[in-house]
Amino acid sequence: MSLVEIRGLSKKYGDNVVLDKVDLDIEQGEVVAIIGPSGTGKSTLLRCLNLLEKPEEGTVKFDGVSFDLTKRNKKDTLALRQYTEMVFQQFNLFRQKTALENVMEGLRVVKKCSKSEAEKIALDELEKVGMSDRLYHYPRHLSGGQQQRVAIARALAMNPTLLLMDEPTSALDPELVSEVLVTIRKAAEDGNTILLVTHEMSFVKSVANKIVFLENGKIVEYGTPRDIFENPSSERLKEFLAHINMLEGAEYVI
Amino acid sequence: MTKLFDLQLVFSSIPELLKYLPTTLFLTVIAAIIGLLLGLVIAVIRMKNIPVLSQLAVAFVSVMRGTPIIVQLYISYFGIPILLQYINYYRGTEYNINAIPGIVFAMVALGLNQSAFDSETIRAALQSVDKGQIEAAKSLGMSNGQVLRRIILPEAITVALPSLGNSLIALIKGTSLAFTCSVVEITAAGKILAGRNYRFFESYCSLAIIYWVLTFALEKVVAAIEKRLQVPEQPRQVKERDAILSKM
Ligand SMILES: Nc1ncnc2c1ncn2[C@@H]1O[C@H](COP(=O)(O)OP(=O)(O)OP(=O)(O)O)[C@@H](O)[C@H]1O
Ligand SMILES: [Mg+2]
């Protein structure tokens, strides 16, 4: 049994089929990267897993606990959301709260930790992402890269079964990308299980255990970085990789 | 010839008028509370687009904004007794209409008027909170109520505060029309006082001073609250003690 088992996940917007019966297994400690052209449902897939979008069909099993993603009563939704945390492209830090308060918020409000307990966990996570020297900075005082590192600390503080990351570096200035990638790599090395959407191919090559190539709502190819980058079997993936390689100018050294 | 203008009287009658200040303030506070609560309800009804209620809310706001407050006060003063008479007649109840003090009618009228204006402010403020933060809060596992209390309201309040402060100032000045409901607040008291010595001009000058001091103080209070709620310009630096704490 895998740590996360996604079955038959389907999502439509009107007649537009965005996800078409997606099945995916994720093992404990794995980093699974989703790649694919724009508009193929990568974000939608992540957002269905914590019910920010409501799929028409699908189940997900976390740690043996099964959830019907079409059942949407409040209790099940909140229970499901305990298993995942999300890191967003636009960081989405709470603007009225400091870095420390941002990380403590979920611990205090959702996990009902005591103040000192929450503070201890938050300080620890902020230390890991290298933000201990900016505890009382508000998001407006932080660079994009720093905001995203705080957002990663906020997510990891909740100790999720699965960490969802949707293009965490796409909104960053080029010189800030690598500090966030370093942070993600560290989170992976610490044993977190991660489902990651990204266009950073060299990063995917070196960090991901498995890669999903998603196109038009279907998993067209699934395999290790070697399988995907060195032996792509489908024409579509080959085209996509050729396209990406052409566009990808700088490689970020980590 | 008597003095054309008695400057001393302007100041000496202020203490007499201030005896009625509690009435003005009481009326203001109650109407402000009605306005905020009902305004929030209307804002939520309109944001959630609840059928029927939403259309009623739009019509209510439009009527309230499109009619003079003095007309609304008269309608409240004469309308509520008529309404109660109907209720007495059809349901066999025996509410004593004459026992209702005039200030109640003024509170209702001013409160409803406030709610119409506040609802627009509150709606705009709630909608100004960006969706990303709300999604982040939901992802953390917060319930809708927690998201509202912890994330949406703190930010919406900072956005709404300047407009709400202005509407409160308008309300204080609006209470000067409460004489229409036979309420004796400071303006009515000023008129009564002037009626005795025929010094109307001096009396209105005294009133002007009182209102101005009142709204001036209120502006300062609102500004101070605004400053407190705002994210500071400069971040507070981490001190050594905190750094040690974080190493623990
Ligand atoms: N709220 C919505 N209403 C209607 N259609 C939507 C909505 N959200 C997304 N879509 C459509 O769903 C499809 C998949 O969108 P999604 O955001 O999942 O793509 P993506 O793979 O993440 O793309 P990108 O790489 O550009 O982020 C797109 O065709 C998009 O137009
Ligand atoms: Mg996307």
Side-chain angles (χ1 to χ4, degrees):
Chain A
M1 191 187 74
S2 307
L3 182 69
V4 181
E5 297 179 1
I6 302 162
R7 291 290 174 270
L9 184 56
S10 299
K11 170 74 189 167
K12 288 191 276 211
Y13 288 109
D15 289 339
N16 181 11
V17 179
V18 179
L19 292 175
D20 189 5
K21 299 204 172 58
V22 171
D23 297 337
L24 181 64
D25 284 0
I26 303 171
E27 307 296 334
Q28 171 85 50
E30 253 184 358
V31 176
V32 177
I34 303 175
I35 61 171
S38 181
T40 48
K42 303 183 297 295
S43 298
T44 307
L45 172 54
L46 257 53
R47 292 165 60 82
C48 282
L49 289 179
N50 68 357
L51 289 179
L52 285 180
E53 304 293 343
K54 316 291 182 194
E56 276 79 42
E57 266 175 71
T59 60
V60 62
K61 214 185 251 185
F62 288 108
D63 235 346
V65 184
S66 188
F67 290 93
D68 183 345
L69 291 172
T70 59
K71 287 239 172 66
R72 286 126 201 205
N73 68 59
K74 282 184 185 142
K75 203 164 142 264
D76 285 348
T77 303
L78 292 183
L80 171 72
R81 285 179 178 156
Q82 301 279 317
Y83 287 90
T84 58
E85 287 307 327
M86 191 171 239
V87 172
F88 301 85
Q89 188 173 344
Q90 300 294 341
F91 331 129
N92 295 352
L93 289 183
F94 306 130
R95 273 187 257 165
Q96 299 285 116
K97 299 185 195 298
T98 63
L100 182 62
E101 287 165 351
N102 262 278
V103 182
M104 286 173 65
E105 185 68 12
L107 295 166
R108 293 282 285 146
V109 177
V110 179
K111 295 219 157 157
K112 310 280 183 211
C113 294
S114 70
K115 189 156 182 269
S116 62
E117 205 181 338
E119 202 164 68
K120 195 171 168 301
I121 297 170
L123 289 172
D124 193 39
E125 292 297 339
L126 284 164
E127 164 93 44
K128 282 192 208 159
V129 300
M131 291 295 296
S132 306
D133 55 341
R134 291 191 167 59
L135 300 178
Y136 311 123
H137 283 49
Y138 287 84
R140 59 176 281 204
H141 302 134
L142 298 171
S143 73
Q146 291 167 339
Q147 287 188 52
Q148 193 62 298
R149 285 189 278 147
V150 173
I152 292 170
R154 176 175 69 179
L156 289 178
M158 299 296 281
N159 197 15
T161 304
L162 179 66
L163 179 61
L164 305 167
M165 302 182 119
D166 190 4
E167 302 198 33
T169 59
S170 295
L172 297 174
D173 291 338
E175 72 271 20
L176 300 177
V177 169
S178 81
E179 66 182 72
V180 172
L181 292 183
V182 168
T183 309
I184 299 173
R185 182 192 292 272
K186 208 165 145 206
E189 284 164 1
D190 285 348
N192 291 292
T193 310
I194 302 174
L195 183 59
L196 166 76
V197 176
T198 183
H199 294 297
E200 299 288 338
M201 289 303 152
S202 50
F203 180 70
V204 165
K205 248 186 236 180
S206 68
V207 173
N209 305 97
K210 298 280 167 50
I211 296 175
V212 171
F213 175 60
L214 195 69
E215 197 184 36
N216 296 330
K218 285 197 173 79
I219 295 183
V220 177
E221 223 162 304
Y222 171 81
T224 62
R226 273 187 97 104
D227 300 335
I228 296 290
F229 288 105
E230 287 165 31
N231 299 307
S233 52
S234 67
E235 269 323 297
R236 290 300 299 127
L237 176 55
K238 282 179 199 161
E239 267 172 49
F240 174 72
L241 289 174
H243 190 60
I244 288 286
N245 280 335
M246 274 194 301
L247 292 180
E248 196 178 27
E251 301 233 327
Y252 299 103
V253 185
I254 301 169
Chain B
M1 199 181 93
T2 50
K3 266 197 277 187
L4 270 182
F5 176 57
D6 187 347
L7 181 64
Q8 214 191 334
L9 188 63
V10 169
F11 291 99
S12 63
S13 56
I14 286 179
E16 186 65 27
L17 294 176
L18 284 181
K19 284 185 192 156
Y20 297 88
L21 184 64
T23 309
T24 294
L25 293 182
F26 182 59
L27 187 54
T28 305
V29 168
I30 300 294
I33 292 172
I34 294 175
L36 278 179
L37 294 182
L38 189 60
L40 180 65
V41 172
I42 293 173
V44 171
I45 285 173
R46 290 200 55 189
M47 281 171 69
K48 298 219 161 187
N49 219 342
I50 301 170
V52 184
L53 284 182
S54 185
Q55 283 77 13
L56 283 177
V58 173
F60 172 78
V61 170
S62 169
V63 169
M64 285 319 236
R65 303 217 302 179
T67 52
I69 180 89
I70 192 161
V71 174
Q72 294 167 11
L73 282 159
Y74 277 128
I75 287 179
S76 171
Y77 190 55
F78 293 108
I80 293 176
I82 292 175
L83 188 72
L84 285 179
Q85 270 174 348
Y86 265 106
I87 292 172
N88 279 347
Y89 183 78
Y90 284 104
R91 321 197 87 198
T93 48
E94 295 206 354
Y95 297 121
N96 183 359
I97 293 141
N98 297 323
I100 303 172
I103 196 165
V104 172
F105 303 116
M107 282 170 186
V108 171
L110 292 172
L112 292 183
N113 181 278
Q114 278 296 103
S115 76
F117 287 89
D118 288 354
S119 72
E120 295 291 295
T121 303
I122 294 171
R123 190 162 67 107
L126 290 175
Q127 280 171 342
S128 77
V129 179
D130 92 301
K131 240 175 126 245
Q133 289 183 74
I134 297 171
E135 289 192 342
K138 284 186 177 171
S139 300
L140 283 174
M142 288 193 208
S143 66
N144 289 341
Q146 287 170 330
V147 176
L148 183 70
R149 259 177 288 128
R150 306 281 316 176
I151 308 300
I152 298 177
L153 284 183
E155 188 166 333
I157 285 170
T158 61
V159 174
L161 201 62
S163 301
L164 291 180
N166 284 340
S167 107
L168 189 60
I169 287 172
L171 174 61
I172 291 190
K173 293 185 288 186
T175 59
S176 65
L177 296 171
F179 67 86
T180 51
C181 300
S182 64
V183 178
V184 183
E185 38 66 62
I186 53 173
T187 302
K191 282 185 190 173
I192 293 168
L193 201 69
R196 279 191 228 130
N197 57 13
Y198 295 100
R199 287 286 182 181
F200 283 96
F201 180 66
E202 286 80 355
S203 188
Y204 285 125
C205 285
S206 315
L207 285 172
I209 291 169
I210 296 174
Y211 280 112
W212 178 70
V213 169
L214 213 56
T215 53
F216 183 79
L218 192 72
E219 265 173 19
K220 290 284 167 240
V221 170
V222 171
I225 298 174
E226 238 178 287
K227 187 133 188 286
R228 271 205 61 171
L229 292 180
Q230 256 167 17
V231 172
E233 280 299 319
Q234 292 299 322
R236 185 157 72 84
Q237 296 303 327
V238 177
K239 298 207 190 68
E240 244 168 78
R241 190 191 67 83
D242 300 314
I244 292 164
L245 203 71
S246 70
K247 289 281 180 325
M248 281 193 322

